C-alpha cells in the first residue's frame, strides 16, 4: 500500500494554453516539450485505512493550501476508482526547486503522484494510461510521464490527450539554463489563466487555428536535429502564447522587467553566434535552451543581467519512475 516515485518538470517548446474539454482537461492545442533531469519532485503515497481524508505534506510541512489538497484528492480518486477502494492516503512530496513560480511543479508533481499512487494500489498501468490520468489533473503533467522530447496531441492516440515520447534524452543532448527572476508564487494559476483567455481574448481562435503548424514544424526540427528551426518555432510559439495572454480581458502579464532583459540577452547571444533560444511559461522565469557546450556561456551571460536572482542548469532527463525511497526517506 506504499510506493515512491520521482518525476521531473518539462519545458514546453510548443505551448499548451487553453482547453477543449474542461471536465476531462483535454488541451485545445497540441504541445511539445523536453523533460529535465536536474529538477525533480519525489512523492511517497501510503494508503492507510485509519485515515478519514488524504493528508498532504509538501517539504515536510502539512499547512498546504486547501486547493492543493483537493487537487491531490481528485487525482487519487481516479486511481481509487480503478482499484475499487476508498482508502485515504498520506502523500509526502518534496521538490528541489521553488514551487508555483512557473517552473512546472504541477507537471512533475502529478506525474510522480500518479506513478506512486498506481503502484501503491497494485494497478498495473501502462505509461500511456498514467499519462492520460496525469493529464486530467494537469495537462503538462501528461508529458512528464515520459523523458526526452515529448508530444501531447489531443487529436492522436487511442486515449484522447495522452503524451507520446518522440526522442530519447540521449539522442539530442540539449541543455536548459533557467534564469530565476522572481521567487514569488504566480498571481494567477495556469488553469484560471487559460479559462480567462479562452473566454475573453479576441485572438483565441487564431491561437488554436495556428498551433498545429507550429507542432509540425517543431516535430520536424526535432527529427532532423535542426536547432535553428527549433529555435524559430519555439520562440514563435512562446511569444504567440504571451501575446494571447496579454489580449485577455483583463490582460495577463506573467513577465517582469527582468524577464524582458533576459530575452534581449539571449537574442544578443544568438546574434553573436551562440546556439541558444528562449522560452517562458506562465511565470516570469526564462528558460534558455542551447546546444551541448554552449550552456556555460549562456549561464555567465544570464548571471550578468541585473535582477536575475539565480541561474539553474539542467540537461534532459527520463520520465516518471518508481524510486526505492521517497522524500526524507
Ligand atoms: C504555460 O499544465 O499547468 O506551462 O492543465 O490547467 O493544470 P492545467 O495547466 P498546466 O499549463 C501549462 C501551461 C504552460 C505551457 C505548457 O506547459 O505547455
Amino acid at each position: 500500500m506504499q510506493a515512491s516515485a520521482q518525476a521531473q518538470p518539462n519545458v514546453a517548446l510548443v505551448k499548451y494554453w487553453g482547453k477543449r474539454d474542461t471536465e476531462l482537461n483535454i488541451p485545445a492545442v497540441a504541445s511539445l516539450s523536453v523533460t529535465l533531469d536536474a529538477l525533480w519532485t519525489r512523492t511517497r503515497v501510503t494508503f492507510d485505512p485509519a485515515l478519514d481524508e488524504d493528508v498532504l505534506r509538501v517539504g515536510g510541512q502539512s499547512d498546504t493550501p486547501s486547493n492543493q489538497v483537493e487537487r491531490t484528492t481528485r487525482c487519487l480518486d481516479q486511481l481509487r476508482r480503478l482499484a475499487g477502494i476508498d482508502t485515504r492516503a498520506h502523500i509526502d512530496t518534496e521538490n528541489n526547486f521553488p514551487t508555483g513560480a512557473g517552473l512546472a511543479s504541477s507537471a512533475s508533481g502529478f506525474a510522480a503522484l500518479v506513478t506512486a499512487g498506481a503502484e501503491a494500489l497494485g494497478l498495473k498501468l501502462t505509461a500511456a494510461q498514467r499519462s492520460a490520468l496525469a493529464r486530467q489533473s494537469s495537462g503538462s503533467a501528461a508529458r512528464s510521464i515520459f523523458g526526452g522530447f515529448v508530444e501531447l496531441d489531443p487529436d492522436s492516440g487511442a486515449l484522447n490527450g495522452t503524451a507520446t515520447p518522440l526522442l530519447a534524452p540521449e539522442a539530442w543532448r540539449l541543455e536548459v539554463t533557467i534564469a530565476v527572476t522572481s521567487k514569488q508564487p504566480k498571481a494567477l494559476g495556469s488553469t484560471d489563466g487559460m479559462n480567462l483567455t479562452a473566454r475573453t481574448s479576441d485572438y483565441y481562435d487564431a491561437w488554436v487555428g495556428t498551433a498545429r503548424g507550429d507542432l509540425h514544424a517543431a516535430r520536424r526540427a526535432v527529427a532532423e536535429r535542426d536547432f535553428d528551426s527549433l529555435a524559430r518555432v519555439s520562440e514563435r510559439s512562446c511569444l504567440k502564447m504571451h501575446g494571447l495572454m496579454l489580449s485577455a480581458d483583463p490582460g495577463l502579464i506573467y513577465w517582469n522587467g527582468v524577464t524582458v532583459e533576459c530575452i534581449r540577452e539571449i537574442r544578443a547571444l544568438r546574434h553573436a553566434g551562440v546556439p541558444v533560444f528562449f522560452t517562458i511559461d506562465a511565470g516570469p522565469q526564462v528558460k534558455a535552451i542551447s546546444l551541448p557546450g554552449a550552456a556555460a556561456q549562456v549561464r555567465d551571460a544570464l548571471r550578468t543581467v541585473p535582477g536575475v536572482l539565480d541561474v539553474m542548469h539542467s540537461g534532459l532527463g527520463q520520465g516518471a519512475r518508481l524510486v526505492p525511497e521517497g522524500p526524507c526517506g
Side-chain angles (χ1 to χ4, degrees):
M1 294 299 268
Q2 182 181 89
S4 299
Q6 172 171 327
Q8 287 97 242
N10 65 78
V11 175
L13 305 183
V14 175
K15 303 294 188 188
Y16 148 50
W17 195 255
K19 298 168 196 294
R20 178 181 299 174
D21 181 326
T22 47
E23 268 313 296
L24 293 172
N25 202 33
I26 297 180
V29 293
S31 55
L32 188 150
S33 61
V34 286
T35 302
L36 305 183
D37 69 351
L39 280 57
W40 49 252
T41 299
R42 284 185 197 144
T43 301
R44 178 173 55 234
V45 179
T46 313
F47 287 92
D48 179 353
L51 290 176
D52 293 329
E53 53 191 30
D54 293 323
V55 179
L56 173 64
R57 291 197 310 169
V58 181
Q61 307 292 320
S62 47
D63 55 348
T64 326
S66 61
N67 63 329
Q68 267 190 48
V69 182
E70 282 159 26
R71 273 182 97 179
T72 303
T73 290
R74 272 204 304 278
C75 180
L76 287 180
D77 282 346
Q78 305 178 94
L79 299 173
R80 282 188 275 252
R81 261 195 303 278
L82 287 174
I85 66 155
D86 194 34
T87 312
R88 307 285 116 181
H90 290 279
I91 305 101
D92 286 284
T93 186
E94 132 181 81
N95 294 319
N96 73 340
F97 60 95
T99 54
L103 288 175
S105 53
S106 69
S108 50
F110 286 110
L113 181 65
V114 166
T115 302
E119 178 70 14
L121 289 174
L123 295 167
K124 296 289 168 226
L125 302 182
T126 63
Q129 287 170 320
R130 283 186 287 122
S131 174
L133 288 170
R135 187 213 68 240
Q136 294 198 36
S137 294
S138 187
S140 52
R143 301 185 308 238
S144 274
I145 293 293
F146 299 101
F149 295 76
V150 182
E151 177 180 301
L152 173 49
D153 183 352
D155 295 312
S156 82
L159 301 159
N160 252 358
T162 302
T164 43
L166 289 177
L167 196 65
E170 312 75 47
W172 197 16
R173 295 187 185 278
L174 298 186
E175 300 191 58
V176 182
T177 305
I178 302 167
V180 178
T181 67
S182 164
K183 293 195 176 170
Q184 300 302 314
K186 60 189 162 200
L188 191 64
S190 300
T191 309
D192 291 340
M194 285 184 201
N195 292 338
L196 173 76
T197 310
R199 225 177 37 245
T200 61
S201 169
D202 293 337
Y203 298 167
Y204 187 69
D205 290 345
W207 162 253
V208 174
T210 57
R212 187 145 292 275
D214 291 341
L215 176 78
H216 287 161
R219 220 190 247 164
R220 196 174 328 115
V222 169
E224 294 171 0
R225 320 285 196 274
D226 178 347
F227 188 81
D228 290 342
S229 296
L230 189 63
R232 188 154 172 234
V233 63
S234 299
E235 290 193 355
R236 182 170 76 220
S237 174
C238 167
L239 292 177
K240 216 165 30 166
M241 179 183 75
H242 285 276
L244 175 74
M245 292 161 160
L246 289 171
S247 72
D249 186 11
L252 283 172
I253 308 174
Y254 283 106
W255 298 359
N256 58 36
V258 187
T259 311
V260 179
E261 292 312 315
C262 288
I263 292 176
R264 287 192 210 288
E265 185 62 40
I266 291 165
R267 286 210 157 158
L269 282 171
R270 190 158 75 251
H271 289 145
V274 180
V276 61
F277 64 85
F278 66 82
T279 190
I280 303 152
D281 291 305
Q285 328 301 4
V286 179
K287 291 120 188 184
I289 321 293
S290 56
L291 280 176
Q297 216 177 335
V298 173
R299 183 193 58 213
D300 291 349
L302 287 174
R303 276 200 182 130
T304 65
V305 175
V308 168
L309 304 175
D310 200 0
V311 175
M312 300 190 267
H313 172 261
S314 180
L316 306 191
Q318 305 294 330
R321 60 205 173 277
L322 297 169
V323 288
E325 296 289 340
C328 330

